[in-house]
Amino acid sequence: MSTSVTLKDSAELLHAIARLRTADGNSAAEAYVLIHHDEGNPNVISLEHEGEGIEDLASQLHEAEVQYAILRVREQLDITVAVKFVYIHWIGDKVPFTKKGRFGVVHGSVKENLPTCHADLETSSVDDITAENINRLINETSGTKSKVIDGNNTEGRHMRGFTSVPLSKGPGKSKANLVPVSAGGAAVKHGEDVTEAILDVRSDDSATTWACIGYEDDDVKKPLKCVSKGDGNVDELKHCLADDKPFYFLYRTTDTIDGHVTVKFVYIIWVGEQVKPLAKAKLSTHKGYVQELFSGCHVSIFATSRSEISRTIVTDKVCV
């Protein structure tokens, strides 16, 4: 039995997750993406629903199904508001024991294909899916005594993890998107071209196999941008490498498991040996944010030398 899952209509699902994670101050305080196993197939997941509100999410959970949700909430921290994400693994209490086993062995692969969240919740009871319980879970994981606040009570508050400029409520918004700050580092601005490049690599309908993301004007203080894309193997992307520049790559490849071809994604962090120390220090603060931007990869490779990136190395890591 295969322990991996593939994404049906992956572009649709990834766009939904991107919308959830790139929300601004005008977005609903509570929103979610709901995922299920397509036609009951344990090895295929797809987008089931997008919605707003914890109560609405609870109403979408079925007692005889296994489902997954990414829930966005807001947490008050002193005079600021933090955006937090909760991963919910729903196992309905009427799911047969044998079915639980078949779906349980692929859960690790499901999580690998979804973004990292601040807190995880596995449950079979809708009584656990309440604002009070979600608030308690977030407090336990973050070590705060904050409250998940109502969306109508955020006027004038600074949204932690978003741009530091005043929150816009009208037209003329910047095209630079910011997602919530990672627990592991500072947020970095990036344009729509970065999101589109990542989604292009992940799309089953695209021939693109890799995307190279760098910094505008090669300055780590500036926003991220898409430098290049291609449809070749890992050797092709190495043409982008420079000894004095940092880059991030998303690479799409395949692995064969039990005779079935499975798509795998590789996250490559390149920091050339001649990158200046101050730039390296700045890069370290971006690590958590960029990792979330590229979340859902099966393996990661950190390289400072071209010899550390090759088809053999990628294959060995992917096939472990």
Side-chain angles (χ1 to χ4, degrees), residues 176-212:
N177 299 320
L178 282 176
V179 302
V181 65
S182 161
V188 192
K189 289 184 178 180
H190 64 85
E192 293 178 355
D193 62 324
V194 173
T195 303
E196 290 171 357
I198 292 173
L199 291 174
D200 194 22
V201 175
R202 291 188 178 277
S203 174
D204 293 334
D205 299 323
S206 172
T208 303
T209 55
W210 61 270
C212 174

Side-chain angles (χ1 to χ4, degrees), residues 294-310:
F294 285 78
S295 62
C297 292
H298 299 85
V299 298
S300 299
I301 297 174
F302 178 82
T304 60
S305 169
R306 287 169 176 77
S307 63
E308 295 172 313
I309 304 174
S310 69

